[in-house]
Amino acid sequence: MSDILHWIYVSGAVVLLFGAAVFVHEWGHYFVARRRGLKVEAFAIGFGPKILSWRKDGIDYSWRLIPAGGFVRIPQMITSEALEGKHEGQEPLPAAEPFSKILVAFAGPFMNIVFAFAIATFIYFVGLPVIYDPSVIGYVDPASAEGKLGIKEGDRIVSVDGKPTESWQDVTMATILANGTNIPVEIEREKKRHQYTLEAKLNSNVGGKFLNLDSKDHPQIEVLNDGAGKKAGLQVKDVVVRFAGVTISGVKQLTQMIRERGGQPTEIEVERNGKRVKLTVTPAGDKGTGLLNVALGSASVTVYKVQKPGPRPWESISDVVHKTFATLDAVIFRSKQTGVSIKDLSGPPGIFAMLAREVSLDYRLALNFLVLLNVNLAILNLLPVPVLDGGHIMMAIIEKVMRRPLPAKIQEYATTGFAVLLICFMLFVSFHDFKRFPLFRSMFEQKTEIQQNPQDSSSVPPLDSDKTPKPVQ
């Protein structure tokens, strides 16, 4: 019963928070349009069939089935029937001035930034849980390219592609956005820094590219199929502590050792329900190809420490703006160099999943995600594309320069055409979101702990930046 109530709370909070971001955006258009004397016909949150609707002062208000956007119907601004439906017949309205169109279009993104700043200010006072994930390297295979360069367990990554890194999250983001797969990496060892050029490998499962380095972590069995592991008595959620007499500190180390022990009976020690259990397992296959038919994930607890006061509001906004433009640059202009493409972006399902996870962890994390969501909505809506606010602004500027509006049919065709492209884009990224369902599920299954005392840094293990289950090949 408690689980059902929890998910009702999470689902309700996700709809409310996402709806709030859309509401303030559309309210900005609505408010300025009425102040500038423009006719407002409808105000809607969401698309598709109406769930709830009412009419007041000649305006149709509605909450619609698909909570992935919304609109304000202002006939003196060019609209799109593909999103908003056909207009009701009415007497002709006077044309709106280009300046009024620009103000109305800009008001939506502006309100998202205002809303984001207000949330960031609240977070500054209540504090923000920040993941404790130091970029300390775990097991390094001596035979690997990294091992041959002298990189060792316990080294710390301090910069990737010239960008400072304090956590594995920083390492992952800098690696994904770097040009090419050969990336400059600075590593600290015994208070001395060493420069390397390391090769990152593309990961088709989660998108992007990653360094061939792990953090210190005991692997945990996430999935157990029929095979050598199940035959030996391994169970899901067993934490692998030792294998063949060697202490295990990461998924990569264990994978390598299993492969090398193909066909050979080997002692494996696991932690199960707080107790140590020793078993004998014989990996299937020959030496170099051994496997247990299990999928491995992180056994550690993801630790958050509350930073209070939180980040300064303007720093939070600036950081999101920088990351948003860096991501757009990596996807649009440097896709071949970064390995990041449109399919790696998240649509509504991915956004809802990530927001739901933050809601389930801590309300401050959910609000911080809402800051990111609002800033992203503002930036993306200001792109000079018909159907988006930036497109309205662009056409209003053209109208001002030409001293006459573009033909209505051209505006309507362009807006409707790009609306269809927008819907296709949303369907495309949503399809890939559904393909990443196991990744989203693993985010909810990961054990977490939020430490309220920011001074308490004892007994916090370094964590792995990639928490998704990894199959043993």
Side-chain angles (χ1 to χ4, degrees), residues 254-262 286-290 473:
L254 178 58
T255 302
Q256 170 98 15
M257 295 185 67
I258 290 172
R259 288 175 178 169
E260 292 302 312
R261 299 290 296 179
D286 300 322
K287 183 177 181 180
T289 62
Q473 302 292 330

Side-chain angles (χ1 to χ4, degrees), residues 404-438:
R404 60 184 176 85
L406 289 170
K409 284 295 182 183
I410 292 179
Q411 295 186 59
E412 180 64 25
Y413 289 153
T415 304
T416 302
F418 276 93
V420 172
L421 289 177
L422 177 63
I423 292 172
C424 291
F425 167 76
M426 291 174 62
L427 291 174
F428 177 76
V429 294
S430 296
F431 169 75
H432 286 280
D433 277 339
F434 286 119
K435 290 179 65 176
R436 289 190 287 265
F437 176 75

Side-chain angles (χ1 to χ4, degrees), residues 281-309:
V281 63
T282 304
D286 300 322
K287 183 177 181 180
T289 62
L291 53 84
L292 297 183
N293 263 14
V294 302
L296 302 170
S298 170
S300 65
V301 175
T302 301
V303 177
Y304 291 83
K305 289 181 172 294
V306 176
Q307 175 187 337
K308 191 173 183 180

